[in-house]
């Protein structure tokens, strides 16, 4: 376990990287959802990253979608880094079997470090926290603070209402038409990862 509470550089924005995708940050729910295909998509994502030689960076939990993606990556021989704030470091929440578990002081530092350690972002179904993390990364992309692609894994149309909202925001003049593509979507982990690999750099 690594404690980076004193080593985070708060003045440093998320660096843009070019070239090969070495690590992907996955945002997803700490709950499993009510349909088995949500957790199965998380497992497929973890296996896919490991089999592709891509390290997983995620929020450090061992429950719900988070635990499923991490366990699947580890079972397939992948490298998994969890980043978790100190207030969530309870045995029933934090994953104790990761390649690396980094403890930080705040949710803000968690997002910053996950962003710094990733070359791209995948988003599985989740709730408020998943969307908050996702849209911060999209906002940073919009502002030019990084050039790392963000893709939704739209399991059984879970994100369809969100995608409709983006089109509504464009039609209403709150999002520029040229920025509607900043949050991309594919129906499966395989297609979403392929899109990230094609867009990276």
């Amino acid at each position: 376990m690594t404690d980076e509470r004193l080593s985070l550089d708060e003045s440093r924005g998320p660096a843009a990287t070019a070239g090969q995708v070495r690590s992907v940050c996955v945002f997803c729910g700490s709950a499993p959802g009510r349909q088995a295909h949500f957790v199965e998509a998380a497992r497929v994502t973890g296996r896919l990253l490991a089999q592709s030689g891509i390290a997983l960076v995620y929020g450090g939990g061992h429950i719900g979608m988070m635990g499923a993606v991490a366990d699947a990556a580890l079972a397939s021989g992948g490298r998994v880094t969890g980043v978790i704030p100190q207030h969530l470091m309870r045995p029933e929440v934090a994953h104790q079997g990761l390649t690396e578990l980094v403890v930080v002081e705040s949710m803000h530092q968690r997002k910053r470090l996950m962003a710094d350690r990733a070359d791209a972002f995948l988003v599985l179904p989740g709730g408020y926290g998943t969307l908050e993390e996702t849209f911060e990364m999209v906002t940073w992309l919009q502002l030019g603070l990084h050039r790392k692609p963000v893709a939704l894994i739209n399991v059984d149309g879970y994100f369809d209402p969100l995608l409709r909202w983006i089109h509504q925001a464009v039609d209403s003049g709150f999002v520029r038409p040229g920025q509607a593509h900043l949050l991309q979507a594919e129906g499966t982990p395989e297609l979403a990862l392929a899109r990230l690999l094609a867009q990276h750099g």
Side-chain angles (χ1 to χ4, degrees), residues 135 159-171 174-175:
F135 274 101
F159 289 112
D160 284 352
L162 178 62
L163 296 170
R164 288 195 295 270
W165 173 81
I166 292 173
H167 289 298
Q168 180 179 338
V170 171
D171 292 342
F174 291 105
V175 173

Side-chain angles (χ1 to χ4, degrees), residues 25-94:
C25 178
V26 174
F27 298 132
C28 59
S30 58
R34 292 180 177 169
Q35 304 297 327
H37 51 251
F38 291 138
V39 167
E40 180 55 28
R43 293 186 181 121
V44 170
T45 300
R47 286 196 298 267
L48 180 64
L49 291 174
Q51 292 166 1
S52 302
I54 298 172
L56 166 65
V57 179
Y58 85 117
H62 82 84
I63 56 177
M65 299 282 284
M66 295 175 71
V69 70
D71 287 341
L74 290 167
S76 296
R79 177 178 176 84
V80 180
T81 296
V83 184
I84 193 165
Q86 180 66 48
H87 73 273
L88 293 180
M89 270 297 296
R90 303 189 302 273
E92 68 270 24
V93 175

Side-chain angles (χ1 to χ4, degrees), residues 6 153 172 198:
L6 300 179
I153 302 174
S172 299

Side-chain angles (χ1 to χ4, degrees), residues 114-193:
M114 287 194 293
D116 283 347
R117 292 208 174 191
D119 297 318
F121 305 92
L122 284 174
V123 184
L124 284 157
Y128 289 137
T130 299
L131 290 181
E132 187 269 337
E133 292 166 333
T134 300
F135 274 101
E136 183 142 5
M137 296 306 110
V138 173
T139 300
W140 289 355
L141 183 59
Q142 178 188 35
L143 296 174
L145 300 178
H146 69 73
R147 296 192 302 273
K148 303 174 183 181
V150 185
L152 301 171
I153 302 174
N154 192 21
V155 183
D156 276 1
Y158 178 79
F159 289 112
D160 284 352
L162 178 62
L163 296 170
R164 288 195 295 270
W165 173 81
I166 292 173
H167 289 298
Q168 180 179 338
V170 171
D171 292 342
S172 299
F174 291 105
V175 173
R176 295 177 182 175
Q179 296 176 336
H181 70 284
L182 295 180
L183 184 57
Q184 305 168 58
E186 294 288 354
T188 67
E190 293 86 354
L191 290 174
L193 180 59

